[in-house]
Amino acid sequence: MEKLRELTKNSVLGNPTRLGIMLYLLPREKALFRDILGVLEITPGNLDSHLKALERAGYVRIYKVFADRPRTAVRITEKGAEETGRYLRMLRSILNGI
């Protein structure tokens, strides 16, 4: 039960949408806003809100790139990768204990 309490303390990754964003970014390191939007099938405003929460926690960095036009990109931070990995290990540990 201690591990379960520890898991629930992470309010950032405890949200399914934010966890989904981090799981998408983890193997890629970075992605365009529109790509994340297409994968998660949520509204732009909803995605923006979740990305801002992840950025406040230091898990991602949001920035602009210029291709054919300005686009919003998201990069996972070292802290974000570490915390996501730790969160997944805790989940695995809890599931293995059942």
Side-chain angles (χ1 to χ4, degrees), residues 31-36 48 51 61-66 69-74:
L32 292 176
F33 183 93
R34 68 184 172 118
D35 295 335
I36 301 169
D48 184 61
L51 287 174
R61 187 173 72 81
I62 303 168
Y63 59 101
K64 295 289 183 186
V65 294
F66 297 94
R69 61 188 175 104
R71 298 190 184 270
T72 301
V74 183

Side-chain angles (χ1 to χ4, degrees), residues 28-79:
R28 292 167 182 78
E29 294 183 20
K30 62 183 176 182
L32 292 176
F33 183 93
R34 68 184 172 118
D35 295 335
I36 301 169
L37 196 61
V39 169
L40 296 180
E41 297 181 344
I42 59 177
T43 66
N46 197 353
L47 178 57
D48 184 61
S49 174
H50 286 294
L51 287 174
K52 285 179 180 172
L54 289 168
E55 187 174 47
R56 279 191 304 273
Y59 289 11
V60 300
R61 187 173 72 81
I62 303 168
Y63 59 101
K64 295 289 183 186
V65 294
F66 297 94
D68 54 330
R69 61 188 175 104
R71 298 190 184 270
T72 301
V74 183
R75 178 180 294 277
I76 193 168
T77 64
E78 187 176 326
K79 176 184 179 182

Side-chain angles (χ1 to χ4, degrees), residues 4-48:
L4 190 55
R5 266 192 299 272
E6 176 84 15
L7 189 70
T8 59
K9 286 182 184 178
N10 190 327
S11 62
V12 177
L13 293 177
N15 177 285
T17 300
R18 290 194 286 265
L19 181 58
I21 292 167
M22 296 304 287
L23 291 174
Y24 184 75
L25 288 172
L26 199 57
R28 292 167 182 78
E29 294 183 20
K30 62 183 176 182
L32 292 176
F33 183 93
R34 68 184 172 118
D35 295 335
I36 301 169
L37 196 61
V39 169
L40 296 180
E41 297 181 344
I42 59 177
T43 66
N46 197 353
L47 178 57
D48 184 61

